[in-house]
Every structure is written in C-alpha cells, then in structure tokens.
Amino acid sequence: MVSGNGSRTAVVGGGISGLVAAYRLRQRLGPTAEIVLFERGDRVGGVLHTGELGGGPLDLGAEAFVGRRPEVPALLRELGLEEQLVHPAGRRPLIWADGATHPLPGGTLMGIPATSMVMHGLVDAATLATIDAEADRPLHWVPGSDIAVATLVADRFGPQVVARSVDPLLGGVYAGLANSIGLRSALPPLAAALDAGARSLGAAVARALPPPSTAPVFGGLRDGYRVLLRALLAAAAPKVEIRTAVTDLARTATGWRLGAAGEFDAVLLATPAPVTAGLLGADLPAAAELAAGIELSSSALVALAVAPDAPLPDNSGILVATGEPLRAKAFTLSSRKWPHLAGRDALLLRASFGRFGDSSPLSWSDADLIAAATADLATVTGHHIEPLDARVQRWPGGLPQYAPGHDRRIADLEAAVAQAPGLALAGAYLHGVGVPACIATATAAVNRLT
C-alpha cells in the first residue's frame, strides 16, 4: 500500500481513467508525492478530444455521459466546473431502416421491446406476430449464463428487431453489434430478470425497464471534455511524459520497475486491454491472457458545419439499421440535440463510421470520409447539404467489446492482479465503456493502492 511522504507512483495511460487516477492519487498522497503520468500519444485525453468547428468547441470523441450516474456531476463539483454541465434538448432520434426514417421506439431496453406495440412501423407484420406470440413459447434460460444479445433477441423476437432496433443503439455505445456484445455486461437488469425466472423475454424486459423519470438521461459539457481534462491535469499536477510508450513492467523487491523510467512504489495501468496484457505478461501471465482476450473496435467520425437554414430534421440524430446500403452508422444532429450549440452561426452534426469487425473507414482519406458523410446525409434527409467546414477524427481501437462472459473474465483478471501488491487496473474494458464507469474504475484502483 502506497502512502505520501515522497512516494513515487506511476500512472500509465493518459485517458480519462489515467487523469482521474492521477487526481485521486494527488488527493490521497498529498503534495510531496511524485506522480508520473505516461502517455504514448501526443496529448492526454484518450478518446475524449475537443476540436473547433462552427465558431466554437465541439467534442470529436465521446460527447455525452449517462446523466443518471453520479460520477461526472460529482467530479465537476469537486473541480468547480458545475456551470459546464448541460443536458440535451429532449428531442428523440430517428432510425433509418428499409430505406426510410422511423421514430425511435420508446419504452425499450436498449432497443428490446416488452411488447410489439412500440415496434409498429419499424418491423414487418410477421415480426410483430412473433413478438406477440413470444410469451407462449417456453424460455430456456440457465441462471448465471451469458450469451450474445443478438442470439437471445433474434430467437425470441426475430432478426428485424436486432437489425433495426437493438444494433443501432448498441452500436452507439460499443461501436459493435448485438452479436458481439454479451447480454450480462450490456444489460445487467435484463440478465437479473431472466435469472429471477421471467417466463419470457417480453416479461423480463418489462421487469428490467427503469421506472419513469423526468431526470435527463444524458449530460455533456458546455465547452467540451477538454475543460474537464485540463482541470484534472492541473489538480493532479503530475510529471507528464508525453509520447512515451511503456513497454516493460517488472516486479522488484519493493515495488515495480517501468523500463528506463526506473522504480516506483506503485503502478496503475490505465491502458487499453491489449497494452495491459503486454505489460502484465512477464509477472502475471494468467492475468495477461485474460486481458488479451478482450477485443477492440475502431471507428471514425466526421463533424460537419452546414448552413443554419439547412433542412435537417427536428430530431437529435439518425441511427442506421444494420444491413442498410449506407456507410455511416449514425448521425448526431448536434445543434438539434444540444441547446448550447443551437446559437452558433452554423448547424453542427457528426457522422459516425465503423463497427466491430470493420475498420476499413480508418483507411479512407479525409476527403473520402467527408464525401461519404455528405452522400449518406443526403440519403437519410432527402436533401443534398453542402458542408461549410468539416473535421475528421479516427479512433483506432477506441472501444473494447464486452463479449459474452466478459463479467467473469474481468472478475478473474481483477482477482489475479489483486495478488500483486502495488499494482492496479483502470479503464473502459473493466466495468463499462462510458466516462462515468471510467471514473469509477480509476477511483477504485486508487483506493486499492492507497
């Protein structure tokens, strides 16, 4: 266990998890402790990155967080950034499916309905009949088991529900598909309802749906995530080693050695799962094997500024069903979604590309990505809208995939690392890909070390 009074601690990885970890370490260890933050890229922040477009800041990575979790608002209060907290306008997204736009169904659990009522217009009559008859079919569920979301939903409700309702929503969270995401990690309340003996998928969804609430589902930062990143860095006051890839981690008699960086009393790894696996391999091979089994998804984002009178729908975005002949997987109509962006001289929107198993958009040129975004936007809106300006951001290996069995894998990984004093893990591959979950893993990792 590390304490202050001149201790030396390394944080490897300068994303949100690493920055929160450095900040928590400074709070716990005090001003005399040496905290060194290693980041292999040319900036801190990881997949949180704020650019400039349309006369002001715009997030080019994650843009929102789950507003019903407490971690981000609490952290903003700690750092004196309460005035940065903003919420969406409340507009609903559309879904592009079968060559047309449809309202996003309400009353679903990540796109999984409890009844057929909310799916009318989005799926065909045969699928509606399958949903209606689902309760009459025996449900064979082994408590504690885990399968891909698509496996269960397609079997019980049909493949159209997966492609047109579940995939578009899961794709926004994981940049993956329902056939690559495990039910237990993605939808814990649904798994709990099935474990408790729900007699059908519809009944399980009805039991798992959260109670009605007027609280905002999502939140964001008025001036982008860069405000939070800068505040964390200033409060943590670590020694920052940018463009420094840590490739060697070895246990010593009193702590850990990080290659040429020398010895540390404790090390906190806030690195992607494959990097973590490489660092753990020498001393903790079983833990390394578990981390190496977590795959990553890559994506690309095109942010566009268009004329203020451009004919965009009055919705927060347009999600694209799988199997559609479009290259973009979603559009966020940022100026419609966020009131604080509505006053700009241009309308802002974001087009997202890339799903798990398809990293090809990363190889496209900026011009090709912008052209694809513009062409697909014309398809889903019915209007050619010429961009006034654009920004392209690529995210290779940006999001971990929570495959079936992920929760057991992480439990085993954390148990293995717990046997190594002075070592802890944090990051999006552990207990959730969102910013609140990353903050929680960083705080838990520092609690373990201190």
Side-chain angles (χ1 to χ4, degrees), residues 5-6 50 57 72 108 123 173 187 252 282 312 319 322 343 346 408:
N5 301 320
T50 308
V72 177
T108 73
V123 300
V173 177
L187 297 163
T252 69
L312 295 177
L319 309 177
T322 50
R408 184 68 262 163

Side-chain angles (χ1 to χ4, degrees), residues 50-328:
T50 308
E52 293 283 330
L53 187 67
L58 181 71
D59 279 315
L60 302 178
E63 56 147 9
F65 58 86
V66 177
R68 292 171 182 171
R69 285 192 62 151
E71 289 88 353
V72 177
L75 187 59
L76 294 176
R77 285 193 298 271
E78 285 184 46
L79 297 167
L81 298 174
E82 299 99 321
E83 78 285 350
Q84 284 289 326
L85 181 61
V86 294
H87 298 290
R91 292 179 174 89
R92 297 278 292 172
L94 301 169
I95 290 182
W96 178 265
D98 197 25
T101 54
H102 309 265
L104 177 75
T108 73
L109 192 68
M110 196 61 78
I112 309 174
T115 70
S116 67
M117 185 186 315
V118 298
M119 305 301 290
H120 280 264
L122 181 60
V123 300
D124 61 23
T127 299
L128 294 175
T130 298
I131 299 171
D132 287 334
E134 190 261 338
D136 299 326
R137 294 170 51 207
L139 174 63
H140 304 290
W141 176 262
V142 178
S145 63
D146 195 14
I147 58 174
V149 175
T151 302
L152 177 65
V153 177
D155 174 62
R156 304 300 296 183
F157 288 160
Q160 280 192 7
V161 175
V162 175
R164 300 183 182 184
S165 188
V166 181
D167 269 347
L169 289 170
L170 278 178
V173 177
Y174 296 98
L177 296 169
N179 62 13
S180 67
I181 304 298
L183 178 77
R184 192 163 292 277
S185 292
L187 297 163
L190 182 58
L194 292 167
D195 289 347
R199 295 182 176 274
S200 67
L201 177 56
V205 170
R207 187 181 301 181
L209 283 170
S213 172
T214 58
V217 177
F218 298 107
L221 274 70
R222 181 180 303 278
D223 295 317
Y225 272 116
R226 68 183 179 189
V227 176
L228 175 59
L229 301 176
R230 290 170 179 171
L232 285 168
L233 197 60
K239 178 183 178 183
V240 181
E241 299 285 353
I242 295 290
R243 301 185 186 89
T244 303
V246 175
T247 58
D248 182 32
L249 173 69
R251 201 184 324 226
T252 69
T254 58
W256 297 86
R257 175 177 290 278
L258 286 179
E263 290 199 27
F264 293 85
D265 299 292
V267 173
L268 192 152
L269 300 180
T271 46
V275 177
T276 303
L279 291 171
L280 295 177
D283 282 282
L284 298 168
E289 184 177 356
L290 290 164
I294 300 170
E295 298 185 273
L296 305 181
S297 180
S298 300
S299 61
L301 183 136
V302 178
L304 302 176
V306 302
D309 60 351
L312 295 177
D314 193 25
N315 297 89
S316 62
I318 305 169
L319 309 177
V320 179
T322 50
E324 295 294 314
L326 296 179
R327 290 153 292 184

Side-chain angles (χ1 to χ4, degrees), residues 327-406:
R327 290 153 292 184
K329 66 179 181 183
F331 292 90
T332 302
L333 306 181
S334 304
S335 295
R336 303 279 197 243
K337 181 176 180 178
W338 298 102
H340 69 283
L341 297 177
R344 301 269 182 95
D345 293 335
L347 293 180
L348 305 178
L349 61 127
R350 303 170 6 136
S352 300
F353 295 84
R355 291 185 171 96
F356 178 63
D358 178 20
S359 60
S360 59
L362 269 70
S363 66
W364 302 351
S365 69
D366 286 4
D368 287 343
L369 280 166
I370 294 169
T374 304
D376 285 355
L377 182 64
T379 298
V380 299
T381 64
H383 302 277
H384 176 75
I385 302 173
E386 191 66 29
L388 305 174
D389 198 3
R391 298 287 184 274
V392 173
Q393 181 68 49
R394 294 169 180 81
W395 296 113
L399 284 173
Q401 297 300 289
Y402 281 44
H406 183 83

